[in-house]
Amino acid sequence: MNIPLSLYVHIPWCVRKCPYCDFNSHEQKGGLPEQDYVRALLLDLESQLPDVVGRAIETVFIGGGTPSLFSGRSIAAFLEGVERLLLAADAEITLEANPGTAEARRFADYRSAGVNRLSIGVQSLDDSKLRSLGRIHDRAEALAAVGMARRAGFDNINLDLMYGLPQQTSAQALADLDVAIGLAPSHLSWYQLTLEPNTLFRHRPPAVPDDDTLGEIMDAGLARLREAGFVQYEISAHARPGRACRHNRNYWQFGDYLGIGAGAHGKLSLADGGILRRSRPRHPRTYLEGPATIDSERTLTSEDRVVEFMLNALRLNQGVPAALFSERTGLPLSAIAGQTAAARSRGLLDPDPAWLRPTPLGQRFLNDLLAMFER
């Protein structure tokens, strides 16, 4: 099977739940069961090996929660276990870090353990905005975390930065972006704050910029990123040449990934042509009691495959080769012939039949384009 295989690892604890966060995260109360959780993760992974015989994991993404709450020793023990099982020699291994939990020694230990890409969630570089987001760090700690990462030997650093923050002006948002660009990361994930269901911000909405202001921020920000040498390869992902995130790109190209950890989700193409989505129990305590327990499992229908493939692939500015649709979904291109013809006639999809690629108009009205592939 030629479909790339990735591994998503969920570490669910954080110091404090942010009011905008809808991820499966749980506030740390007392010490963390690091050794028990690492053992559970490896048992979980081992239980899924029969589904991926002969395949190697090409990328690992350790997300959360706040993975940087875990010690370098725990991360090393985990990665040693993954390497023993099925890790490719040139794997991209990303770990998410919160500046509020950054420590020079810990960053150095992560690097020694094999982590070769660090994603730092700065979110803003304005102290007043960080307070409004409920973050546990300030601007100085964010700047210090980037410096620590570099001194620890990381040359592949992503910064997560949001705009459209409570009461944020266009000038403030662009000033934030300028500081982030000045830190010279290899990758910038620059995205708009959204008020997600089941969050404090959804129940008590803050005053956020209007659509006109958001449009100004986006247009000016994209221009500044281009001028600084970043390539926008996905809606919110900007990278130096050759530094696009291999793990996330695999998601967007409808590749396979195993999900381990509390609440983790996975997607797997099976030898019989089926495509399986599977998740683990969300609560850490439940997960620790039975790490190989399946919380939900379903086989994708043909309609599911069309929607999910296009939902991911059309986020990429360059789209994907049309042949990838059949390779990854098992369906003929004729299954979407009507929708692609209609999208091309409206100027939302590139007219080149060899590609499934949004036009600049399609990128701007992506939701309209995606809706054309829903049934």
Side-chain angles (χ1 to χ4, degrees), residues 170-246:
S170 177
Q172 288 172 330
L174 295 171
D176 247 4
L177 182 59
D178 286 340
V179 175
I181 290 172
L183 292 171
S186 52
H187 192 286
L188 254 169
S189 298
W190 188 59
Y191 53 97
Q192 182 185 330
L193 170 69
T194 54
L195 308 185
E196 301 287 357
N198 302 315
T199 64
L200 185 60
F201 271 5
R202 187 62 172 266
H203 294 297
R204 301 179 200 165
V208 294
D210 59 28
D211 289 344
D212 288 342
T213 302
L214 290 171
E216 290 173 13
I217 293 169
M218 185 176 71
D219 290 342
L222 291 177
R224 292 187 189 194
L225 285 160
R226 283 193 299 271
E227 290 165 7
F230 286 90
V231 176
Q232 184 189 20
Y233 67 99
E234 187 267 346
I235 294 170
S236 59
H238 308 261
R240 301 286 185 190
R243 292 295 200 174
C245 179
R246 288 167 54 194

Side-chain angles (χ1 to χ4, degrees), residues 93 95 106-112 114-118 146 148-157:
I93 303 174
L95 183 139
R106 187 167 292 193
F107 277 10
D109 288 344
Y110 295 153
R111 188 68 192 91
S112 297
V115 176
N116 52 31
R117 184 174 183 272
L118 202 64
V146 177
M148 286 181 207
R150 287 225 163 81
R151 288 190 295 276
F154 286 99
D155 65 354
N156 195 0
I157 298 172

Side-chain angles (χ1 to χ4, degrees), residues 10 12 28 35 45 64 81 92-93 97 101 181 200 218 251 277 325 327 352:
H10 194 73
Q28 175 187 0
Q35 291 184 351
L45 178 58
E92 174 195 84
I93 303 174
T101 61
I181 290 172
L200 185 60
M218 185 176 71
Y251 288 155
R277 284 212 175 272
F325 175 81
E327 179 186 321
D352 184 349

